[in-house]
Amino acid sequence: MTTFKEIRGQLIRKVSTDPTNPLEGQMWYNNTIGLLKGVTTLEAWSSASNNVVATNASAGAGTQSSGLTFGGTTPGPAPTATSEYNGLGWAVGGTLNTGRRSLSGSGTQTAGLGFGGYTLPSAGVSNATEEYNGTAWTSSNNLNTARWSLAGFGIQTASVAFGGHDNVPGSTQTNATEEYNGSTWTSGNNYLDSRATGQSGTGILTAGFGANAGGPASLSANTAHYDGTNWTASVDLPATRRAMTAAGTPTSTMIAGGRSPGIVATCFKFNGTAWSAIPSLGTARANATMSSQMPSTATWFSQGEPPPGTNTDAVEEYNQSASVVTQGAWASGGSMTEGRGTGGDCGIQTAGLVFGGNPISAPYTTN
């Protein structure tokens, strides 16, 4: 019979009291209570501070504690807005030179890259590339193929762009791949599927991962790895999906939300070999954005489209650890027997007291 020592190469310690600060994955036998115990990994999504702009089809970059969103669509022209996240709240950043939706992004908050997209109201497909220095956007050399609803990954000085629509909505799609060296784009070998559109990508220039979401009238579960030169077919998604969002690395990729075909909240994680289901988003959304530099244990999921035709500024955070701490939330309690203000109160949540005050129907005056 296989033993824990043969699997993990170590014995299970026998202790009389549980360790004060156990490590994730640690196991021990408590001989006082006669139980085998251990620390398991917990994971969950929780509500975070809202973004400063409600939009969908924006791009994202950075990490959970230093994030960036930019572009997107609102009623009217595509916004030039940029938002910066510090792990607690969002602040207004520098504006894009070219307002676009359905663009792609890569890099970090202080060294970001935005490319491609679809401009409004002129209905033009963009090949514009811009670099962000943490304060302002600067135009760089254009993509060779103008496109929108494309995917990308990497850092500001070494990024990959692939797939997308190369003309107005409902037209042809492209599987073209381009590489950015911090100054110019050069053509690379094509992505495997000529239907490539609305897909997502993760990784770095020499180790990328792409999920092909198919066109507006189709769904796909295809994925592929990029080695810096060629694309190779990888393990299919557990479910067909489009308009989803991805972040991470080729060996730690997360896919969240999207349409399948309706808008969904389900999420999956890839470890380089297989996909597995992880907790779902609190709110189903498509065309959202995530922190592109996500480690396997933390990211944010921002904005997007809850039901079709609407935008949101909602943000959720994903955390995975031995002790996931999520932000609290308010819930409705019982109503007071009489509405009033400027009175007094005391007590605790389960034994409170209010007294005095003005009835809510009385005129409010000050002296």
Side-chain angles (χ1 to χ4, degrees):
M1 182 179 68
T2 302
T3 65
F4 182 80
K5 181 179 180 181
E6 291 170 336
I7 297 172
R8 298 296 299 270
Q10 58 186 9
L11 294 170
I12 297 176
R13 293 185 60 191
K14 182 169 65 174
V15 296
S16 58
T17 58
D18 293 339
T20 304
N21 296 302
L23 301 175
E24 183 177 328
Q26 182 178 348
M27 296 187 69
W28 66 92
Y29 178 76
N30 186 317
N31 60 3
T32 302
I33 56 177
L35 289 177
L36 178 67
K37 305 182 76 174
V39 180
T40 59
T41 299
L42 305 174
E43 51 188 335
W45 289 95
S46 61
S47 297
S49 299
N50 288 352
N51 204 307
V52 294
V53 59
T55 188
N56 74 75
S58 59
T63 64
Q64 188 188 59
S65 59
S66 182
L68 194 68
T69 65
F70 46 95
T73 182
T74 60
T80 58
T82 297
S83 302
E84 297 180 358
Y85 190 55
N86 64 5
L88 298 174
W90 295 86
V92 175
T95 57
L96 286 163
N97 295 296
T98 302
R100 290 165 279 165
R101 57 157 294 176
S102 301
L103 70 166
S104 190
S106 61
T108 66
Q109 187 185 90
T110 56
L113 190 69
F115 42 94
Y118 181 76
T119 61
L120 294 172
S122 61
V125 182
S126 177
N127 59 1
T129 299
E130 299 184 39
E131 295 183 350
Y132 193 65
N133 63 6
T135 304
W137 290 95
T138 303
S139 296
S140 185
N141 289 308
N142 294 337
L143 284 162
N144 295 302
T145 302
R147 56 184 111 173
W148 62 281
S149 195
L150 72 164
F153 53 82
I155 59 176
Q156 190 183 71
T157 56
S159 281
V160 173
F162 66 97
H165 287 281
D166 61 6
N167 211 312
V168 295
S171 66
T172 58
Q173 301 163 38
T174 178
N175 59 359
T177 297
E178 297 185 39
E179 297 180 356
Y180 186 69
N181 63 5
S183 176
T184 58
W185 292 94
T186 57
S187 296
N189 289 326
N190 289 345
Y191 188 72
L192 299 180
D193 197 326
S194 60
R195 297 178 305 153
T197 181
Q199 69 286 330
S200 295
T202 64
I204 59 175
L205 179 66
T206 56
F209 183 81
N212 176 15
S218 64
L219 294 168
S220 172
N222 297 343
T223 69
H225 279 287
Y226 189 64
D227 63 7
T229 303
N230 298 308
W231 290 96
T232 305
S234 186
V235 182
D236 282 358
L237 293 168
T240 56
R241 188 72 55 94
R242 70 180 180 92
M244 74 285 200
T245 309
T249 68
T251 56
S252 182
T253 292
M254 178 189 291
I255 297 288
R259 290 192 176 96
S260 185
I263 295 177
V264 296
T266 49
C267 304
F268 303 101
K269 186 177 284 188
F270 185 64
N271 62 6
T273 303
W275 291 95
S276 59
I278 60 173
S280 295
L281 293 160
T283 303
R285 282 179 273 168
N287 290 316
T289 188
M290 292 169 71
S291 52
S292 62
Q293 302 293 319
M294 179 202 88
S296 60
T297 56
T299 188
W300 44 258
F301 183 92
S302 179
Q303 302 158 311
E305 185 181 18
T310 64
N311 297 326
T312 182
D313 59 3
V315 177
E316 298 183 39
E317 282 192 355
Y318 171 83
N319 287 286
Q320 175 187 315
S321 72
S323 57
V324 172
V325 178
T326 62
Q327 298 186 32
W330 290 94
S332 298
S335 299
M336 294 178 64
T337 56
E338 179 186 43
R340 48 190 151 155
T342 65
D345 61 84
C346 63
I348 60 176
Q349 186 186 62
T350 55
L353 179 68
V354 295
F355 42 88
N358 295 328
I360 197 168
S361 60
Y364 179 75
T365 60
T366 59
N367 296 321

